[in-house]
Amino acid sequence: MSFTIHGIGVSGGIAIGHAHLVSHTKLEVSHYDVPAAQLAEETARFDRAVNTVRSELEELRGSVPAGAPAEFGAFIDLHLMILGDTTLSVVPRAIIESEHCNAEWALKIQTDELLQQFDAIEDSYLRERRTDVIQVAQRVMKALSGQPGYVPPPAGDSDRDLVLVAHDLSPADVVLFKQHQFASFVTDLGGATSHTAIVARSLNIPCIVALHHARLLVRENEIIIVDGSQGVIIIDPDPRVLAEYQLRQREFGLERQKLKRLRDTPARTLDGADIELHANIELPGDVALAVESGATGIGLFRTEFLFLNRPDLPGEDEQFEAYRKVMEGMGGKPVTIRTYDLGADKQIDDTARLAPNPALGLRAIRLCLTEPKRFITQLRAMLRASNYGKMKILIPMLMNASEVDQALQLLDQAKLSLDAEGVAYDRNIPVGGMVEIPAAALALGLLTKRLDFLSVGTNDLIQYVLAIDRTDDTVAHLYDPLHPAVLMLLSHIFTTANKARIPVSVCGEMAGDVALTRLLLGLGLRQFSMHSAHLPDIKQRVLKTTLADTLPITKKMLRATDSAKLHGMLDKLNA
Ligand code: PEP
Ligand code: MG
């Protein structure tokens, strides 16, 4: 019988294949008393299980395929770190000894205790690391039971497309996907910012998370359709639905091929305006996709990802190598590197746990200015890499003139220190600021007078204008890029920057939404930066747009206050 389950689509496209179920990760945990004379053997059994898991993870680490996204290795390192932490590898031994219980029960007690601590954390990024703790604990539990960790089907079994159906998947398991070429994977657990979702996007296969009961309801080998764009799976579809999706899949594939042919076509409107389409990246490994998509530059390199999922901070040389790799990969095309935007949902230490409202707290440039040494380390690494192409430095979350001045002073200090060492760098490196706090957007002069370019972070700008926490799904329906206040603010930013002859781009998600391309063009935007996967679609829309036609409708949209009318006008603009 055919049925449908809805979840959160985290990577678009359509996959049709046979379900391959990954065994349920939750194991029954038995509890029994261990006589005093056997406690030493019980703790030794626990140590052996931890060592087995360590070897498994190290083996996985060694088998990361060349060319796999860099975060794969980082995920395994994170799991090794969790495993090595005394809270998981030592405390259960003490529980075995004090409670005279079996190793499984001791591990369960300690894991439950840890998870309770995670539940009390308000920060969504940190809360999602709870999943990593569960995955590591379950690996140890499996090792105690004599079962190995997740083992994929034999390599080379690619005569049919497999859709992996799991209750949950650890990022370490996902590493193996590259070798096994699954068509798609779907999971019961996970959020849009979970590691699994991040990896899915970089694998570029359809993926859905948060399906809740898929692992229970789907049977091995059943035909399953995954519509990653709509976040829906259809199990055992009837022939009519299957034929419909096969057609859509072919159309999607053809469309992708067709769009690929646009790679080297300049993004020019029908009335001859040249539009810059750049790519957003998180790690150096993303450059290949950016080049393939036809990006004429990197508009946003979110460097803070180099700082996550690790116990230490990346040093100057490590950062320099990462930045150099991006510069060289782009072969002289412009690369905009953002100084780290840590804090809020991307934490490297415990400070956010104490912050009552991390999104309004010590984040991005605010954090950088409280840690000048760490900031200068990054600036030096960037300057050193500026020799390898055309770099621009971008500073996030600026709000007042003093922050800009302090950041520029620290940049000067970094330059002086390199001068003293005789190290070369681009002396005319442009410095820009992100416009993502309403105060900076309204009083834009404080940025245009001091900086060489601007980039609008619409993700945060909308969050702060509408007072909607972008990580909170209970208010996600109120997050509205078409709100009149957002449109007015964007129009003000573009008009003011254009008058001041300061280049301005948008690097928030709005830039990659094809429904908003003509609106942004009509408001005066000429530079867009987005995830590589969206770039061909946006280019196609630009190629089919006459700027002069967009102006009268966008002008009217700026005067409208009624949401239904605004949507009607947007439809007209896109017709
Ligand atoms: C934004 O806020 O729009 C932006 C591009 O930055 P981030 O999403 O990294 O906060
Ligand atoms: Mg932002």
Side-chain angles (χ1 to χ4, degrees):
M1 192 191 64
S2 176
F3 62 101
T4 301
I5 310 178
H6 291 262
I8 302 173
V10 294
S11 187
I14 292 168
I16 302 173
H18 293 265
H20 175 60
L21 305 187
V22 176
S23 66
H24 207 295
T25 43
K26 265 203 178 121
L27 297 174
E28 281 296 309
V29 181
S30 54
H31 178 198
Y32 50 88
D33 292 335
V34 176
Q38 285 169 24
L39 286 177
E41 168 48 26
E42 195 61 11
T43 50
R45 190 168 78 84
F46 176 75
D47 289 344
R48 279 198 299 277
V50 170
N51 287 336
T52 302
V53 173
R54 186 173 296 115
S55 308
E56 269 178 27
L57 288 172
E58 279 166 355
E59 204 178 306
L60 267 178
R61 186 78 173 87
S63 71
V64 175
E71 55 267 51
F72 282 179
F75 291 149
I76 301 174
D77 288 342
L78 174 68
H79 282 205
L80 276 165
M81 194 180 89
I82 293 170
L83 182 72
D85 196 278
T86 50
T87 50
L88 262 197
S89 59
V90 177
V91 176
R93 298 177 95 256
I95 296 175
I96 296 171
E97 282 161 358
S98 62
E99 304 291 316
H100 289 211
C101 66
N102 56 319
E104 288 88 347
W105 193 248
L107 179 59
K108 180 191 167 354
I109 292 176
Q110 176 59 5
T111 311
D112 287 349
E113 166 67 30
L114 280 176
L115 295 184
Q116 261 182 24
Q117 290 170 17
F118 268 87
D119 285 340
I121 298 174
E122 280 182 18
D123 178 84
S124 67
Y125 182 84
L126 273 180
R127 229 179 16 237
E128 284 191 10
R129 302 291 71 80
R130 173 188 200 280
T131 315
D132 294 294
V133 173
I134 296 174
Q135 287 163 343
V136 174
Q138 283 175 345
R139 267 188 187 273
V140 179
M141 209 60 102
K142 277 190 176 174
L144 281 168
S145 73
Q147 291 182 39
Y150 163 63
V151 181
D157 182 17
S158 56
D159 54 338
R160 59 182 190 179
D161 286 339
L162 293 180
V163 173
L164 208 73
V165 182
H167 183 62
D168 191 17
L169 276 176
S170 78
D173 294 333
V174 181
V175 169
L176 299 169
F177 281 25
K178 276 251 158 184
Q179 290 150 324
H180 292 276
Q181 297 177 337
F182 295 115
S184 167
F185 68 93
V186 299
T187 62
D188 286 344
L189 302 186
T193 64
S194 66
H195 276 149
T196 309
I198 295 168
V199 176
R201 286 195 198 101
S202 62
L203 282 175
N204 231 353
I205 56 174
C207 162
I208 301 177
V209 298
L211 285 160
H212 303 301
H213 304 297
R215 177 62 188 76
L216 261 183
L217 299 174
V218 177
R219 284 188 303 237
E220 181 76 18
N221 225 15
E222 251 174 340
I223 299 270
I224 178 165
I225 297 172
V226 180
D227 184 340
S229 314
Q230 299 299 321
V232 66
I233 61 172
I234 304 166
I235 300 100
D236 193 16
D238 68 45
R240 212 172 28 84
V241 173
L242 188 60
E244 164 72 22
Y245 271 93
Q246 280 166 336
L247 183 70
R248 281 200 215 172
Q249 192 184 30
R250 272 197 300 277
E251 281 172 356
F252 192 82
L254 283 174
E255 195 56 30
R256 274 202 176 168
Q257 285 306 323
K258 230 172 34 199
L259 289 177
K260 266 193 186 162
R261 282 191 240 130
L262 293 179
R263 198 182 101 143
D264 300 319
T265 308
R268 186 170 295 144
T269 63
L270 289 167
D271 44 358
D274 283 317
I275 309 301
E276 251 353 297
L277 300 184
H278 288 181
N280 292 352
I281 61 168
E282 270 84 48
L283 289 164
D286 301 334
V287 166
L289 219 60
V291 171
E292 206 181 289
S293 73
T296 51
I298 299 298
L300 174 65
F301 176 8
R302 290 179 162 103
T303 59
E304 60 274 13
F305 278 84
L306 297 172
F307 292 68
L308 301 178
N309 295 336
R310 53 186 296 158
D312 55 348
L313 294 173
E316 182 182 314
D317 285 347
E318 185 183 337
Q319 289 189 55
F320 161 69
E321 287 303 337
Y323 306 149
R324 186 176 71 161
K325 219 166 142 192
V326 173
M327 301 298 288
E328 289 180 341
M330 289 309 290
K333 294 197 173 96
V335 173
T336 303
I337 303 198
R338 177 170 81 179
T339 57
Y340 58 81
D341 180 356
L342 291 164
D345 59 344
K346 289 171 279 191
Q347 293 292 328
I348 46 170
D349 55 34
D350 287 348
T351 47
R353 291 185 203 189
L354 307 173
N357 198 338
L360 301 179
L362 205 55
R363 178 188 164 184
I365 190 63
R366 301 170 181 183
L367 184 65
C368 294
L369 295 179
T370 64
E371 298 272 358
K373 212 165 144 223
R374 187 162 76 197
F375 190 41
I376 286 181
T377 299
Q378 179 173 48
L379 293 172
R380 278 176 53 99
M382 286 179 173
L383 287 167
R384 282 169 59 193
S386 68
N387 263 336
Y388 294 82
K390 220 163 136 190
M391 184 191 286
K392 300 185 204 175
I393 294 179
L394 178 63
I395 305 170
M397 294 284 291
L398 289 167
M399 185 270 292
N400 65 27
S402 148
E403 284 171 345
V404 184
D405 294 340
Q406 287 179 67
L408 292 175
Q409 270 166 20
L410 290 171
L411 182 63
D412 282 343
Q413 266 188 45
K415 286 181 180 175
L416 282 175
S417 68
L418 289 175
D419 286 340
E421 293 165 25
V423 178
Y425 58 87
D426 177 0
R427 298 194 159 264
N428 297 314
I429 191 161
V431 184
M434 289 199 66
V435 186
E436 44 190 353
I437 297 182
L442 288 166
L444 202 67
L446 66 91
L447 299 186
T448 56
K449 285 199 185 92
R450 291 171 171 78
L451 295 166
D452 302 310
F453 67 97
L454 301 175
S455 188
V456 187
T458 50
N459 305 339
D460 278 314
L461 187 63
I462 296 172
Q463 143 163 281
Y464 297 127
V465 171
L466 303 184
I468 297 294
D469 183 338
R470 64 192 262 202
T471 63
D472 182 350
D473 55 271
T474 62
V475 285
H477 60 291
L478 297 171
Y479 192 94
D480 181 13
L482 276 194
H483 189 288
V486 174
L487 299 186
M488 281 183 217
L489 211 46
L490 287 177
S491 169
H492 165 73
I493 296 168
F494 302 153
T495 312
T496 312
N498 290 342
K499 259 193 208 149
R501 297 191 183 284
I502 297 283
V504 58
S505 73
V506 168
C507 61
E509 294 304 298
M510 275 184 90
D513 185 344
V514 75
L516 302 176
T517 308
R518 284 187 181 154
L519 171 64
L520 291 171
L521 287 169
L523 291 175
L525 184 69
R526 300 293 177 265
Q527 287 184 34
F528 295 65
S529 192
M530 68 210 77
H531 191 283
S532 306
H534 298 139
L535 201 140
D537 268 337
I538 303 291
K539 188 186 276 186
Q540 195 181 42
R541 181 55 60 98
V542 168
L543 293 172
K544 290 182 177 171
T545 297
T546 304
L547 271 188
D549 293 345
T550 64
L551 295 175
I553 307 179
T554 39
K555 256 191 185 160
K556 266 194 203 157
M557 287 181 79
L558 279 175
R559 288 195 298 268
T561 50
D562 181 291
S563 174
K565 274 195 190 141
L566 273 163
H567 278 94
M569 286 188 252
L570 186 70
D571 289 345
K572 204 168 147 201
L573 194 61
N574 288 329

